[in-house]
Every structure is written in structure tokens, then in C-alpha cells.
Amino acid sequence: MPIEIVCKIKFAEEDAKPKEKEAGDEQSLLGAAQGTAAPRDLATFASTSTLHGLGRACGPGPHGLRRTLWALALLTSLAAFLYQAAGLARGYLTRPHLVAMDPAAPAPVAGFPAVTLCNINRFRHSALSDADIFHLANLTGLPPKDRDGHRAAGLRYPEPDMVDILNRTGHQLADMLKSCNFSGHHCSASNFSVVYTRYGKCYTFNADPQSSLPSRAGGMGSGLEIMLDIQQEEYLPIWRETSPHVHCADETSFEAGIRVQIHSQEEPPYIHQLGFGVSPGFQTFVSCQEQRLTYLPQPWGNCRAESGLREPELQGYSAYSVSACRLRCEKEAVLQRCHCRMVHMPGNETICPPNIYIECADHTLDSLGGGSEGPCFCPTPCNLTRYGKEISMVRIPNRGSARYLARKYNRNETYIRENFLVLDVFFEALTSEAMEQRAAYGLSALLGDLGGQMGLFIGASILTLLEILDYIYEVSWDRLKRVWRRPKTPLRTSTGGISTLGLQELKEQSPCPSRGRAEGGGASGLLPNHHHPPGPRGGLFEDFAC
């Protein structure tokens, strides 16, 4: 029958430790060769980190009261830093800005601004025909009558042309302008351009941006000086108040004089809101100061940056301005509701007839409103030129000049005092006033403050943050590799330091050839070899394995 020999070999614990150490050293060498060294633990990292206090709170050493106090100090400093950092971030996100002013910035040869003036009275009474009075009844408040003074019951007139009516019935500058001088040189009505506003037919001096007149000196006498006759006898009589919704030029007007707006050549006049009044019987001095304003775009402000395109940004205007944007928006609203446009609006669409001016157009303009919440909100351009004004006036004429002017223009002295005015517009000095919006708290200031707070509370820097991120990456990568790596199956199993080997395993693992057949004459060699010659034996392993 087959015989199985079991060998049990038990090693002492002291003999096993050197073998385990040798196996561990071999594994460490293999790991180092393959680049898979174990990551540092938290204590080792804390002892080498540049973050102040981390080594004393989390480094190697015994746990005690001292380490607890260091940990509390570290957490308190970290909380204080986070609180300060949050406040700095909130301050930065509010995008604060300030205005820097340079009151003595030298300007190049300053171009004289455009000066637009309108007579407050829109229609001359003597120029209105029966058809005009009939068509303009809602605008003027005059009852339509025929030539015999009877009310028109069944009168029929041709369709009105609003542009023709304004041209014919508006105050003519050639009749109003009595004298004109610019920088000591004579000027006339031919130096003015016709422009239409909500006051009707108006006139602009120095309107062409391609041939702007320069101002060679500052002070009175170096600008525009004109004398005007406002022609109060041509003002419409007030029979009744017109529609309360009509306030574009106050058709039911109790004032006498002109409206004036000083603006750049690229900006259309918006005189009903931006103009100022000049009264007859006074000489009005307007001292101007050129102001160059620079605003910040988003996120610090709400200005409109230039697009950089060659084509005009607003159809009908060469450049963007708030006035042009407002006029364009008003035109779109009137066109959508009334299917026509008013005379002062840009475009080639059909002009509204007189009856539509009140029934549709003026009502539409009244409903638009303004400001940042209205449907016609127009942002301010980021680069803007405007003219600050200081206005003063003296009474004219004196007694001597009243007689002279009465004789010169064949009028009485009362007419001169009630109708004549002098307007003097000039630069205070040939210097501009530059005002610029600047960011009060930018990104560089935020980083500087964060760095100061970080160094004050936790003694850290950008490199310290990189150290922490590197350690987190190192630990995370090691965890992932452990999850991906599969453990190897051991060749032998051992229990309690006792190894069990079967005879068949001994035969398979033995490097020695079987000698049973050579010596035993066909025997398998499973039993101990008793046929050896006398002499020293080879040992237990030789007797049982070979």
C-alpha cells in the first residue's frame, strides 16, 4: 500500500523575523525601482510643511495639552483668515469705482461747439393760411375759419405737408438775426444750418463736424455773439389750452424767448430736455468749459463701449450718443404705433400728418418716459465730450442804446426791450477738464490684501497652498492605485509557522532523480535505502526525499 510521509518543520519566532525583514526590504527595493513608494503620512507632512503651526499641531510626538493648544490656535487663525478673505471678496465683487479729475489738462486747439437755438413759438401767426389753421387746429388751438371770418363747416383742403408747413410758418433766421460775430469776424444766417426738433424749425451754428470752426482764444469776444429779435408779435394768440398731453414744445406757451443747447457736432440736438432759456431784454453770457469724460464699462459701470465697426452704430447718425439713441428709440415707438414718424426723427418713412401729432405721436412719446427703467434706456458712451456752462446776464438796452436801436431798426423803444436779446457764447479758457472713472479696488489690490491676511494669520503663501495640493494629490493617487492593484495568490499556505508537505509534493519539487530503480532492481524507492554501503549517511533529507 502507498505510504505518505508528512514532514512538519516549525521555526522559532526569532528566526522568522529576519526572514520577514528580508522580504520587506526586497519588496521596498522593488517598489522603489517601480516608482510606487508609499505616501507620507500626515505627521511627516506636517513636520515639513511651511504652514505655520501645522507641524506643532499635527507633527510627530506625544499628544498633550501643548499640542491641543497649538491646534486651537491654528484653527482660530484659519477661521480669522477665512472671515477676512470673505469680506475682501465681497468688497471686490461690488466693483467700486472713483472719479479722478484733472482740472488743468491742456487741450489741443479746441474746436468751437455747435450752438442750436429755437424760438419758443413754433408757428408764426401771420404765415398761417386758412388750410394751415384748419390742419393745425389741434396743435395751435386756433378755431378754423374761412377768409370772411366765418367758421369752416364744410371746408375741404388738400392733404397737408408737415415739412412744408414748418418751413413756411416757422420763424426765419434771416428775419430774427440782427447781428452776428464769431471771434471778431462777421457772420450771417448762411453760417447756420436748419435742423428740426420738437420746437419745429431750429438753427445750428457750426454744425458740420468736417469743417468745425476753431476757437483761437478764451474769454468774451472770442466766441459767438448774436443779437436776435424774437418777434413776439408773431406769437400765436391763446384762445384755449391745447391737449394736456402735449408738452413737447408747450404749444399753450406763456413764455417768450429762445431755447439754446450747446453740444458737440456728432450729437444731434435734444433741446426740449437739454436746452436752456434766454429771455428778451437781457444779454446772456455763457462761459463754456470743455469736459472730457471717461466712464468704465461692465462690471464697474454701465457705459457703452465703442464697437469699432466702420458702419454707423445708429442708422441716420454718424456716431453714437445718448440723444441719437433716444431719438432712434422714439422713432421706433412712434413708427410701430402710428405707422409714421415725426419731422425731427431720422429716416425715410412717411411723416405723420398734423392730426396724428397729438392723437398718436405725442401720446406715444409721453408714454416712453426715461431713466434706466424706461423702454428707451440709452447707456452713456464710455468716452464723452460735453460742455459745462456758467450763465450770467445783464439787462439791455439802456436808455441811450434803446433810442439808437429803435432808429436803426425802425422800431419803438418798447419793442426793442420786449423782443431784442443778445447771446454771447465763449470758452472760459482753452483748456479742457478731464474726468475719468477708475476702478477703486482691482484684482491686484485684492490679491495683495489676501496675501497680507494669509501671511498675518497663518503664515502661508501661494507655494504653501501648492504644498497642500501636492500632498492631497499624493495620497489620493496612492489610494486609487491600491484599488486598481489585485493581490497575488501565494504558492504555499502556512498555519502557525508549521508547513505541511505531502510526499507527492516532495517528489515533484525534488531536483534529485529517483535512484530506486537503479539500486533496487525495479523497486520504486519509496522506502529508506538500506542497501548503502557502510559509511556516513547523507542525512534525513537524503533518506526521505531522494
Side-chain angles (χ1 to χ4, degrees):
M1 59 182 298
I3 300 174
E4 181 179 2
I5 300 175
V6 177
C7 298
K8 293 184 179 181
I9 305 173
K10 184 175 183 181
F11 299 96
E13 186 176 356
E14 291 78 7
D15 298 336
K17 286 183 179 180
K19 295 182 179 180
E20 292 177 1
K21 182 177 181 181
E22 293 176 1
D25 293 342
E26 182 179 359
Q27 185 178 0
S28 300
L29 291 175
L30 291 175
Q34 297 176 0
T36 58
R40 297 168 292 172
D41 57 1
L42 179 59
T44 304
F45 169 75
S47 62
T48 59
S49 175
T50 59
L51 184 65
H52 291 190
L54 185 62
R56 298 181 181 274
C58 303
H63 297 277
L65 178 61
R66 185 177 180 181
R67 174 170 291 195
T68 303
L69 294 177
W70 272 106
L72 291 176
L74 178 62
L75 293 177
T76 303
S77 299
L78 182 60
F81 163 69
L82 294 177
Y83 176 77
Q84 294 293 334
L88 293 174
R90 286 194 301 267
Y92 174 76
L93 293 177
T94 58
R95 309 293 184 179
H97 59 269
L98 53 86
V99 178
M101 183 175 65
D102 185 4
V109 179
F112 197 77
V115 181
T116 299
L117 54 93
C118 305
N119 200 311
I120 292 179
N121 181 62
R122 184 187 290 194
F123 306 104
R124 289 181 296 139
H125 186 242
S126 63
L128 292 175
S129 64
D130 294 337
D132 298 333
I133 294 176
F134 176 79
H135 292 301
L136 300 176
N138 290 335
L139 287 173
T140 63
L142 298 178
K145 297 180 179 181
D146 58 13
R147 295 183 181 274
D148 298 330
H150 301 288
R151 291 185 177 276
L155 297 179
R156 294 292 182 268
Y157 295 103
E159 290 297 324
D161 183 355
M162 200 63 189
V163 177
D164 175 68
I165 292 176
L166 291 176
N167 275 327
R168 287 187 298 101
T169 63
H171 289 266
Q172 307 301 316
L173 185 61
D175 299 331
M176 292 194 300
L177 187 62
K178 299 304 179 182
S179 66
C180 178
N181 287 282
F182 177 74
S183 295
H185 300 282
H186 177 72
C187 55
S188 63
S190 60
N191 299 107
F192 290 78
S193 303
V194 176
V195 61
Y196 295 100
T197 70
R198 294 180 74 175
Y199 281 99
K201 188 176 183 180
C202 302
Y203 304 91
T204 301
F205 177 79
N206 194 27
D208 189 3
Q210 304 299 328
S211 58
S212 177
L213 299 175
S215 182
R216 297 181 175 86
M220 288 188 298
S222 59
L224 176 66
E225 182 177 354
I226 57 176
M227 177 183 288
L228 295 175
D229 178 7
I230 66 171
Q231 302 174 331
Q232 282 202 59
E233 78 280 0
E234 293 286 358
Y235 277 38
L236 294 179
I238 297 178
W239 293 85
R240 62 179 175 86
E241 291 189 5
T242 53
S243 172
H245 298 285
V246 180
H247 67 273
C248 61
D250 288 339
E251 281 75 13
T252 308
S253 177
F254 303 100
E255 304 94 24
I258 63 173
R259 294 277 292 184
V260 180
Q261 181 183 353
I262 301 173
H263 55 95
S264 63
Q265 283 79 12
E266 291 79 11
E267 179 183 1
Y270 206 61
I271 197 168
H272 65 283
Q273 287 192 3
L274 304 179
F276 60 93
V278 178
S279 301
F282 291 91
Q283 180 173 359
T284 303
F285 302 95
V286 184
S287 176
C288 298
Q289 176 73 48
E290 186 181 60
Q291 297 174 344
R292 300 179 181 180
L293 309 179
T294 303
Y295 297 97
L296 288 174
Q298 292 285 353
W300 290 274
N302 295 318
C303 74
R304 186 182 190 275
E306 296 181 0
S307 63
L309 303 177
R310 293 185 178 181
E311 59 269 13
E313 302 182 20
L314 290 176
Q315 186 178 1
Y317 300 101
S318 59
Y320 175 85
S321 64
V322 176
S323 300
C325 175
R326 287 280 301 178
L327 289 171
R328 184 70 183 176
C329 180
E330 290 174 357
K331 174 208 169 181
E332 296 297 334
V334 172
L335 190 63
Q336 181 179 4
R337 181 174 178 179
C338 311
H339 308 289
C340 59
R341 66 178 178 89
M342 302 177 76
V343 177
H344 66 279
M345 297 176 176
N348 299 319
E349 293 81 4
T350 304
I351 296 176
C352 298
N355 60 323
I356 301 298
Y357 259 72
I358 289 181
E359 297 177 1
C360 180
D362 276 332
H363 290 179
T364 303
L365 296 182
D366 293 341
S367 63
L368 290 179
S372 59
E373 302 297 333
C376 274
F377 168 66
C378 294
T380 303
C382 293
N383 296 288
L384 175 65
T385 299
R386 73 178 184 185
Y387 299 91
K389 300 176 289 294
E390 292 183 2
I391 302 176
S392 59
M393 59 186 65
V394 296
R395 190 170 183 85
I396 62 166
N398 57 41
R399 293 181 180 180
S401 61
R403 298 189 188 97
Y404 167 76
L405 293 175
R407 291 194 303 268
K408 181 179 180 180
Y409 297 108
N410 196 21
R411 298 287 185 175
N412 56 52
E413 295 182 13
T414 302
Y415 182 90
I416 298 297
R417 292 189 179 94
E418 292 179 351
N419 291 274
F420 277 50
L421 60 87
V422 176
L423 176 64
D424 195 351
V425 181
F426 57 90
F427 275 126
E428 179 181 355
L430 291 186
T431 56
S432 65
E433 189 176 65
M435 289 186 289
E436 181 181 1
Q437 265 188 355
R438 297 175 183 174
Y441 194 67
L443 181 60
S444 59
L446 174 65
L447 294 178
D449 290 343
L450 286 176
Q453 298 292 336
M454 190 184 301
L456 174 65
F457 288 104
I458 58 177
S461 65
I462 297 296
L463 296 181
T464 306
L465 299 180
L466 292 179
E467 287 180 2
I468 298 174
L469 293 177
D470 179 69
Y471 176 71
I472 295 175
Y473 167 76
E474 182 181 348
V475 174
S476 302
W477 181 245
D478 182 72
R479 296 284 179 86
L480 290 176
K481 288 193 300 183
R482 289 184 180 181
V483 173
W484 293 339
R485 185 183 301 167
R486 295 180 180 179
K488 297 181 179 179
T489 304
L491 295 176
R492 295 182 179 88
T493 60
S494 60
T495 304
I498 301 178
S499 298
T500 305
L501 299 176
L503 179 62
Q504 187 66 25
E505 293 178 355
L506 288 174
K507 292 173 62 179
E508 293 175 356
Q509 296 180 9
S510 174
C512 305
S514 176
R515 294 181 301 177
R517 294 185 180 183
E519 297 180 358
S524 61
L526 295 176
L527 297 177
N529 190 358
H530 301 284
H531 303 283
H532 287 196
R537 301 179 61 88
L540 182 62
F541 179 81
E542 183 177 354
D543 291 341
F544 285 92
C546 300

